């Protein structure tokens, strides 16, 4: 078993460079299926979700070549339309982007239902609604989602999203890029990675307008050509290190960010007593004094992101007073609460609402990461806690954070990877 061992109670000082955005990369890489030519994708994060989606493309016949640590060349010119590997697709939520990409490229797709973290009901009905509106027949049989355009090519139409869905917005964009005519997505999501996907597709020859607003217009083109594109920095990774600094104390310069993407996180941390200085492509986060209570409600962008909810909860556990978190997106975001209670946190959950009574200190404990963001939150809590914490199930964390041990060690955290085969511990220190 591999786990993280963290000796807490040390403030953080130094600099952390943010990697490319996970949520952009796992959509942009499937989008290369639509391109007739070589796509050079830069600033790719070194995380397991990206490795999985690249493996799926290779399994379909794509030529994937590593240029350097953060750059790959992807050529899907000779790809074949075959059922997507169930073993690979079920490990990653973003596998559903393959439906839109294959449907757009070939007029049909066979993809298993998506996997990833269990955050409660995560239906793809809005995705399917969009595909059907564009002229596809969609059925689920034999453990696969089967989608096929009636005349071999999708037709542009107007799709009104019943709820604001990031995944559905991006999937319909993928399907519409090569469709006949104009597709309009109303009540579209506005997250930064949606804009990034649109910018990628446009750089390859697509005609997409309005990304970042609630109405996106996609005029289908006959062909997309190759080119180069650099993925935006990861908003949630940056927010996680901002929260870690807030919880543990200290001063950390977080580099390679787009400060505007962080405003919803910055505003809440400032409200809690954290000092944040915005620079051109960095934010300086400082916390010396006590933390103040705050109320947080997760909302679609530009609201506070659901992917930062567990991390901000870790900080609020140490804030003076009573804080209330309202989860406005997922049903099952509070599975980390029992783990926090092991550390002395005072949290009560009722449905989508969590009430946190701040405590003077958390104490180290054995913890089990139950999903990606919950695992990151446990690291934050452990960094601020007195004593030693052990976090298992770290594969969840490595789905979305590149070199998290090295990055935290670089700012003074006492964190290391420990491998325990047959209960015999042998340590591997972060390099």
């Amino acid at each position: 078993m591999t786990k993280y061992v963290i000796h807490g109670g040390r403030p953080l000082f130094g600099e952390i460079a943010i990697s490319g955005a996970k949520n952009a990369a796992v959509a942009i890489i499937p989008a290369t299926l639509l391109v007739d030519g070589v796509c050079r994708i830069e600033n790719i994060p070194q995380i397991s979700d990206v490795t999985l989606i690249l493996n799926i493309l290779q399994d379909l016949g794509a030529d994937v070549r590593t240029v350097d640590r953060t750059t790959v060349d992807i050529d899907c010119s000779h790809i074949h339309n075959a059922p997507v590997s169930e073993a690979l697709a079920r490990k990653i939520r973003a596998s559903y982007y393959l439906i839109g990409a294959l449907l757009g490229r070939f007029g049909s797709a066979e993809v298993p239902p998506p996997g990833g973290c269990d955050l409660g009901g995560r239906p793809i009905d809005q995705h399917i609604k969009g595909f059907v509106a564009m002229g596809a027949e969609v059925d689920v049989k034999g453990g696969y989602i089967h989608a096929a355009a009636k005349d071999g090519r999708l037709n542009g139409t107007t799709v009104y999203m019943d709820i604001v869905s990031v995944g559905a917005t991006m999937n319909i964009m993928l399907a519409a890029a090569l469709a006949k005519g104009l597709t309009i997505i109303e009540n579209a999501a506005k997250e930064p990675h949606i804009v990034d996907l649109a910018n990628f597709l446009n750089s390859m020859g697509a005609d997409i307008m309005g990304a970042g607003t609630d109405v996106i217009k996609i005029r289908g083109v006959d062909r997309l050509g190759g080119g180069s594109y650099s993925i935006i920095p990861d908003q949630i990774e940056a927010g996680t290190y901002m929260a870690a600094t807030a919880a543990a104390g200290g001063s950390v310069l977080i580099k390679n960010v787009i400060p505007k993407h962080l405003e919803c996180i910055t505003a809440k941390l400032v409200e809690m007593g954290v000092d944040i200085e915005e620079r051109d492509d960095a934010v300086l986060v400082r916390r010396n004094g006590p933390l103040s209570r705050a109320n947080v409600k997760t909302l679609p962008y530009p609201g506070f992101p659901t992917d930062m909810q567990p991390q901000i909860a870790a900080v609020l556990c140490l804030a003076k007073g009573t804080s209330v978190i309202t989860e406005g997106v997922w049903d099952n975001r509070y599975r980390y609460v029992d783990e926090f209670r092991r550390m002395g946190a005072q949290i009560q959950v009722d449905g989508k609402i969590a009430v946190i009574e701040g405590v003077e200190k958390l104490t180290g404990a054995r913890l089990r990461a139950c999903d990606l963001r919950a695992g990151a939150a446990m690291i934050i809590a452990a960094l601020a806690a007195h004593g030693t914490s052990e976090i298992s199930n770290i594969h969840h964390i490595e789905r979305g954070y590149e070199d998290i041990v090295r990055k935290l060690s670089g700012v003074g955290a006492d964190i290391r990877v420990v491998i325990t085969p047959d209960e015999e511990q042998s340590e591997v220190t972060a390099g």
Side-chain angles (χ1 to χ4, degrees):
M1 183 175 68
T2 306
K3 58 190 175 183
Y4 296 151
V5 175
I6 300 169
H7 299 288
R10 299 170 57 143
L12 308 177
F13 294 95
E15 299 180 350
I16 292 177
I18 298 304
S19 303
K22 164 191 174 287
N23 289 334
V26 296
I28 287 172
I29 291 170
T32 63
L33 289 166
L34 298 165
V35 179
D36 183 14
V38 178
C39 298
R40 174 161 290 188
I41 313 297
E42 301 170 347
N43 201 33
I44 286 185
Q46 297 289 301
I47 55 176
S48 60
D49 268 16
V50 164
T51 302
L52 276 169
I53 207 77
L54 287 170
N55 287 344
I56 291 172
L57 259 62
Q58 287 179 303
D59 196 51
L60 292 172
D63 182 12
V64 178
R65 299 182 183 181
T66 301
V67 177
D68 59 39
R69 191 169 176 276
T70 60
T71 306
V72 297
D73 284 346
I74 304 173
D75 185 356
C76 295
S77 301
H78 306 293
I79 205 158
H80 50 270
N81 189 18
V84 171
S85 164
E86 183 175 9
L88 293 173
R90 286 193 176 275
K91 294 179 181 178
I92 180 172
R93 176 68 183 166
S95 59
Y96 54 38
Y97 293 129
L98 297 162
I99 307 172
L102 290 170
L103 198 51
R105 169 78 180 267
F106 295 107
S108 64
E110 290 183 50
V111 181
C117 296
D118 177 14
L119 299 176
R122 302 180 72 157
I124 63 167
D125 56 319
Q126 294 300 302
H127 307 236
I128 293 171
K129 174 184 175 179
F131 301 149
V132 170
M134 297 171 71
E137 294 179 344
V138 183
D139 192 14
V140 180
K141 54 187 178 183
Y144 272 74
I145 299 166
H146 296 255
K150 293 171 186 174
D151 61 355
R153 187 179 179 187
L154 296 172
N155 294 294
T157 189
T158 297
V159 180
Y160 182 85
M161 310 292 287
D162 298 322
I163 58 170
V164 177
S165 167
V166 174
T169 298
M170 296 172 87
N171 223 346
I172 294 166
M173 286 168 57
L174 291 170
L178 296 177
K180 296 177 187 175
L182 178 67
T183 300
I184 301 173
I185 307 173
E186 296 186 352
N187 197 29
K190 298 180 280 193
E191 271 69 5
H193 38 287
I194 289 173
V195 179
D196 210 34
L197 175 61
N199 289 341
F200 166 76
L201 290 168
N202 283 342
S203 73
M204 302 294 147
D207 184 357
I208 302 173
M209 299 171 290
T213 75
D214 57 7
V215 178
I216 300 176
K217 297 180 179 179
I218 308 108
R219 192 172 298 278
V221 298
D222 291 330
R223 177 184 177 274
L224 298 179
S228 297
Y229 190 79
S230 182
I231 292 170
I232 58 170
D234 196 307
Q235 170 203 26
I236 304 302
E237 185 195 12
T240 298
Y241 292 124
M242 293 168 73
T245 307
S251 176
V252 176
L253 182 68
I254 299 171
K255 304 189 299 182
N256 185 35
V257 301
I258 300 173
K260 183 168 181 57
H261 292 171
L262 303 173
E263 285 177 350
C264 45
I265 302 165
T266 296
K268 193 54 62 176
L269 290 173
V270 168
E271 181 185 336
M272 294 166 62
V274 181
D275 181 26
I276 298 178
E277 177 187 321
E278 291 187 2
R279 301 182 180 177
D280 287 344
D281 60 353
V283 289
L284 178 63
V285 183
R286 291 185 293 247
R287 203 274 290 175
N288 297 311
L291 292 163
S292 303
R293 61 162 297 281
N295 294 336
V296 177
K297 181 174 183 179
T298 65
L299 293 165
Y301 187 84
F304 193 88
T306 182
D307 280 357
M308 276 297 301
Q309 187 253 85
Q311 299 94 306
I312 204 74
V315 185
L316 291 173
C317 286
L318 296 163
K320 288 186 176 180
T322 304
S323 301
V324 178
I325 296 177
T326 305
E327 174 55 45
V329 181
W330 297 125
D331 296 330
N332 210 10
R333 268 289 188 208
Y334 291 121
R335 293 193 303 157
Y336 61 85
V337 166
D338 286 342
E339 303 301 298
F340 279 11
R341 286 175 179 151
R342 294 173 186 267
M343 307 179 79
Q346 298 292 320
I347 309 177
Q348 299 297 323
V349 176
D350 182 6
K352 290 193 172 186
I353 296 174
V355 179
I356 302 176
E357 296 285 348
V359 296
E360 284 192 16
K361 68 174 184 177
L362 298 173
T363 53
R366 290 189 175 183
L367 308 169
R368 186 180 179 90
C370 46
D371 62 63
L372 168 58
R373 306 305 175 185
M378 290 171 202
I379 290 176
I380 292 170
L383 290 171
H386 292 231
T388 301
S389 297
E390 297 180 2
I391 303 174
S392 60
N393 273 16
I394 63 171
H395 63 277
H396 286 302
I397 301 168
E398 292 172 350
R399 284 188 47 230
Y401 291 91
E402 176 183 330
D403 286 344
I404 192 167
V405 170
R406 180 183 62 80
K407 290 183 180 184
L408 286 170
S409 296
V411 292
D414 187 345
I415 177 173
R416 65 188 189 277
V417 180
V418 173
I419 304 171
T420 58
D422 301 324
E423 300 302 316
E424 293 182 9
Q425 291 194 355
S426 61
E427 295 186 6
V428 178
T429 55

